[in-house]
Amino acid sequence: MKRRVLVALLLGSAVGGVVRLEAAEQPGEIKISAKKFEYHPNKVTVKAGQPVVLVLTSEDRIHGFKMPDFGLRTDIVPGQETRVTFTPDKPGNFSFFCDVFCGDGHEDMEGTLVVEA
Amino acid sequence: MQHVERRDFLRLAGVAGVTFTAGLFPHRQASAQAGNDFHFVQFSDTHWGYSGPANPDAEHTLEKAVATVNGLPKQPDFIVFTGDLTHTTDDGKERRNRMKRFREIVSALQVKDVRFMPGEHDASLDKGEAFKEFFGDTHYTFDHKGVHFIVLDNVSDPAAKLGDEQLAWLAADLKQRKPDDKIIVFTHRPLFDLKPDWDWTTADGAKAIELLMPYQNVVVFYGHIHQENHHTTGHIEHHAAKSLIFPLPAPGSQPKRTPLPYDAAMPGLGTRDVDVGQKIAVVELPVTKKG
């Protein structure tokens, strides 16, 4: 099957950790790295109904990634990629956060998935 | 000791606050309770070692609360600390220093039967190693005046799990109980999904609740959320306690679970006095006794 265009505009370094995933027919990959006590990017924008693959890595220790609104959670283990595939089926802003206690600042380790209609 | 009616001693102590009366042990007959009523005090989330704007009085708040509880005319049978005794630190030596100082402060409590359990700030970075050195086991049971107490550890695993081993231990303990036995559970995190997107839950807490469900008289006291909260899963009641460091917002009341602004009157902080009889009466105690 001919690979369709996957465009992930990595705006993170320019605008403070924001990634926007443009239209795609195959799952688009979004890379998110974790370290105490932040995700980078910490704001990700996707389209409702478009499958997404989150590629999660850790720079320091085991962190968690939990997004209850979509029933997602996984450990993020240093030295390996953790891939989470899902299709956001509803528009809105949804939080994700670390659910593996990682120290003084753990409670602030979170981000937002923006799902556009 | 001179007999003092509960309502009277609270008034005399000047600590009468909001009383929450719950239907604890609704399936017990009144006659079975005669002469066995008692009370205990719950401290939670003292976070010794915290320093920050959420509580500029952090170095003294715990000592004030100890003094207030020592001032109760009728001392409790025992005192329980439901976790986060200390504020977390990456430095294991500093963690032990904080636990040592915490233990020194609470040693001033007049009541010497004191039960401890860890919160994630105490135990999640070293799987409870330092906590065990200072305070012993992280999960255990004890019995007091006909009530079976179960202390559960949902924090030594940094992923907030009780774990299969502890759940098997719980199941084995419960098999020794009769369906109408009185059971009180102490734990740090809520066993139910109070606010999952704020991580106010226990990953496998539903399994513990399932194990407890066949027992008719079960109540859970916990901490972690730094505020009073009352919830029911089936017939099991869950009562969250205030903190002694800073209050957190009501679930979902603001976008983030950031501490509420500091108020020198500390209305959101305190301990609680729990009367255990045919029913339960929870009286929230302030940090400092009024005038």
Side-chain angles (χ1 to χ4, degrees), chain B residues 45-271:
Chain B
D45 296 86
T46 51
H47 284 261
W48 177 256
Y50 168 83
S51 176
N55 187 349
D57 185 59
E59 289 189 30
H60 308 291
T61 307
L62 176 57
E63 289 173 311
K64 291 174 180 175
V66 167
T68 298
V69 171
N70 281 343
L72 292 174
K74 186 180 180 184
Q75 287 292 288
D77 282 21
F78 66 88
I79 292 169
V80 62
F81 285 78
T82 49
D84 282 355
L85 318 178
T86 60
H87 197 71
T88 193
T89 169
D90 287 349
D91 182 343
K93 183 178 179 182
E94 175 60 16
R95 181 176 305 118
R96 286 164 175 81
N97 286 339
R98 292 180 184 186
M99 289 183 176
K100 181 181 178 186
R101 180 59 187 141
F102 167 88
R103 192 170 61 182
E104 289 171 354
I105 293 170
V106 303
S107 70
L109 285 163
Q110 288 184 13
V111 171
K112 297 306 176 188
D113 186 355
V114 183
R115 312 280 173 163
F116 299 100
M117 75 199 64
E120 76 278 8
H121 280 252
D122 304 304
S124 284
L125 292 185
D126 67 359
K127 294 182 167 53
E129 183 180 324
F131 178 91
K132 290 175 185 173
E133 291 173 17
F134 282 81
F135 305 107
D137 290 340
T138 61
H139 65 280
Y140 52 93
T141 66
F142 63 97
D143 294 280
H144 186 78
K145 293 185 176 177
V147 178
H148 186 62
F149 290 86
I150 303 173
V151 177
L152 295 179
D153 171 9
N154 49 12
V155 297
S156 289
D157 182 331
K161 292 178 183 172
L162 293 156
D164 291 344
E165 186 176 336
Q166 188 177 186
L167 286 166
W169 168 86
L170 173 62
D173 180 79
L174 289 173
K175 278 186 178 175
Q176 301 173 55
R177 315 270 81 82
K178 294 190 288 291
D180 66 343
D181 276 357
K182 295 173 288 185
I183 298 170
I184 290 180
V185 176
F186 292 131
T187 190
H188 181 65
R189 290 169 160 270
L191 292 175
F192 63 97
D193 286 347
L194 173 59
K195 180 71 173 158
D197 56 343
W198 283 6
D199 204 22
W200 287 356
T201 185
T202 298
D204 51 3
K207 293 180 180 177
I209 292 174
E210 183 180 347
L211 290 171
L212 291 163
M213 200 57 79
Y215 299 88
Q216 299 164 4
N217 299 291
V218 178
V219 65
V220 181
F221 290 93
Y222 68 102
H224 188 56
I225 68 167
H226 293 210
Q227 63 193 284
E228 187 184 358
N229 187 281
H230 308 282
H231 182 85
T232 302
T233 55
H235 62 280
I236 299 175
E237 297 180 345
H238 305 257
H239 305 290
K242 291 179 179 176
S243 162
L244 280 174
I245 196 67
F246 50 74
L248 289 170
S253 62
Q254 61 184 49
K256 294 181 183 292
R257 56 183 161 172
T258 48
L260 298 179
Y262 177 69
D263 181 336
M266 300 185 180
L269 305 184
T271 61

Side-chain angles (χ1 to χ4, degrees), chain A residues 13-103:
Chain A
S13 58
V15 294
V18 179
V19 162
R20 174 179 294 271
L21 185 67
E22 296 293 324
E25 292 190 2
Q26 287 190 345
E29 289 190 357
I30 297 177
K31 294 184 177 180
I32 300 177
S33 65
K35 66 178 181 181
K36 295 192 292 186
F37 302 98
E38 61 186 13
Y39 295 101
H40 187 83
N42 61 11
K43 185 175 182 181
V44 174
T45 300
V46 298
K47 290 281 189 184
Q50 295 279 349
V52 174
V53 180
L54 301 179
V55 182
L56 308 170
T57 55
S58 173
E59 297 179 26
D60 46 21
R61 51 157 290 150
I62 292 179
H63 291 284
F65 179 92
K66 187 171 182 178
M67 193 155 50
D69 291 294
F70 293 100
L72 301 177
R73 95 140 306 274
T74 184
D75 288 341
I76 311 173
V77 180
Q80 66 186 60
E81 284 187 351
T82 301
R83 301 172 70 86
V84 177
T85 303
F86 73 109
T87 302
D89 57 358
K90 51 193 174 189
N93 292 348
F94 305 98
S95 65
F96 57 85
F97 57 90
C98 177
D99 67 344
V100 176
F101 189 82
C102 54

Side-chain angles (χ1 to χ4, degrees), chain B residues 12-23:
Chain B
L12 288 169
V15 294
V18 175
T19 303
F20 181 87
T21 302

